[in-house]
Amino acid sequence: MKKLALLGALALSVFSLVSLADEPKPLKIGIEAAYPPFASKAPDGSIVGFDYDIGNALCEQMKVKCTWVEQEFDGLIPALKVRKIDAILSSMSITDDRKKSVDFTKRYYLTPARLVMKDGSTVSDSLAELQGKKIGVQRGSIHDRFAKEVLAPKGATIVPYGTQNEIYLDITAGRLDGTVADATLLEDGFLKTDAGKGYSFTGPAFTDAKYFGDGIGIAVRKGDKENLERINAAIAAIRANGKYKAIQDKYFNFDIYGPETN
């Protein structure tokens, strides 16, 4: 009987170890909660935002326990390297410089540049309607370069400003016909305000990697193929099952993922 009991205990122990081995490894995710609407603090101190909701959806899809670790943005990659966290999900742009330090998943969003003009303005993909229009841009920004190289040849007059707020003032004063900038910035900083009433997005979304990069990805440690593959699979899954769109529509009135071909 004692031998049978011992064998039973050993079998149970082996089964428990196998079960634990089969369980997905938990994930510690680094985030800076200071960039609404992507991540910020609610009045009760909890984290809210697009990044946070996407991260939780990915963890649910992977059936893995996730822990959020708050960190200032410039400390996220160092924290990843010393294994304080396993991934960075904090609106981090995929750049060649960062690729030297971390591996990136496929993008989970690509913030497009958009044109904002008066309601009823129509701008086709050809941009021919911009002939003779005055378009404000923030001086020295990626949108400044884009406007001068892409919109100006279509006949638009590009007017540089020190800040985007100055542009909004001149749009409402009638000194500009519109502006081109980051879509989320335009939506939260202008279109959702009283000053932005009577204005809206028009024309195509601009996502050319030459000007706007490769999008926003989730960073993992160099060589961490396991997490890279399972997060990529989860991104594809929530895109396919509608969960991504449900989260997107909670925060934005445009497709923040961008074209599938990018």
Side-chain angles (χ1 to χ4, degrees):
M1 290 295 290
K2 288 182 179 179
K3 287 183 178 179
L4 287 172
L6 181 60
L7 287 171
L10 286 170
L12 182 61
S13 176
V14 169
F15 176 78
S16 298
L17 288 172
V18 171
S19 296
L20 286 171
D22 289 340
E23 288 183 8
K25 292 180 182 178
L27 206 63
K28 290 181 289 185
I29 306 175
I31 190 170
E32 182 188 40
Y35 186 39
F38 296 95
S40 60
K41 286 294 194 69
D44 65 1
S46 61
I47 303 173
V48 294
F50 177 79
D51 280 350
Y52 183 70
D53 288 357
I54 288 292
N56 287 330
L58 293 174
C59 292
E60 182 181 353
Q61 179 65 38
M62 293 185 289
K63 295 180 172 58
V64 64
K65 180 181 178 182
C66 290
T67 303
W68 291 91
V69 180
E70 285 187 64
Q71 180 82 48
E72 289 186 3
F73 191 82
D74 60 3
L76 285 169
I77 289 180
L80 182 67
K81 288 183 174 180
V82 299
R83 297 179 179 272
K84 182 180 177 182
I85 56 177
D86 303 303
I88 299 169
L89 204 167
S90 194
S91 289
M92 184 168 281
S93 298
I94 301 169
T95 66
D96 289 338
D97 188 51
R98 288 183 178 135
K99 286 178 183 177
K100 297 173 185 176
S101 300
V102 301
D103 286 339
F104 278 103
T105 63
K106 295 178 181 178
R107 78 170 195 265
Y108 67 97
Y109 78 84
L110 173 64
T111 310
R114 294 295 305 272
L115 278 164
V116 161
M117 300 177 75
K118 279 187 177 180
D119 286 346
S121 300
T122 300
V123 177
S124 63
D125 289 350
S126 72
L127 307 178
E129 297 83 357
L130 294 180
Q131 175 72 41
K133 302 296 185 183
K134 288 185 177 180
I135 303 298
V137 292
Q138 186 169 356
R139 187 182 295 109
S141 67
I142 55 175
H143 305 97
D144 185 2
R145 179 190 170 205
F146 169 77
K148 289 173 180 175
E149 294 184 8
V150 177
L151 305 187
K154 300 296 181 178
T157 298
I158 308 305
V159 186
Y161 287 78
T163 69
Q164 196 66 33
N165 285 334
E166 292 177 87
I167 295 172
Y168 299 150
L169 290 173
D170 271 9
I171 288 177
T172 55
R175 288 186 283 269
L176 290 172
D177 296 296
T179 182
V180 62
D182 179 274
T184 55
L185 175 71
L186 290 169
E187 184 169 25
D188 286 348
F190 185 58
L191 296 180
K192 288 183 177 179
T193 69
D194 289 340
K197 290 178 180 177
Y199 296 84
S200 58
F201 290 124
T202 187
F206 303 116
T207 57
D208 189 339
K210 175 182 176 181
Y211 301 99
F212 308 113
D214 296 320
I216 306 298
I218 299 168
V220 299
R221 278 184 292 278
K222 271 288 185 185
D224 186 356
K225 187 177 179 181
E226 179 183 354
N227 278 325
L228 193 70
E229 290 181 348
R230 68 172 175 168
I231 295 172
N232 272 332
I235 292 171
I238 67 170
R239 288 276 301 154
N241 65 22
K243 184 64 175 178
Y244 181 97
K245 187 176 187 306
I247 295 170
Q248 169 192 273
D249 291 350
K250 180 179 172 182
Y251 295 97
F252 311 108
N253 65 1
F254 60 90
D255 177 13
I256 197 169
Y257 186 81
E260 291 286 355
T261 54
N262 279 4

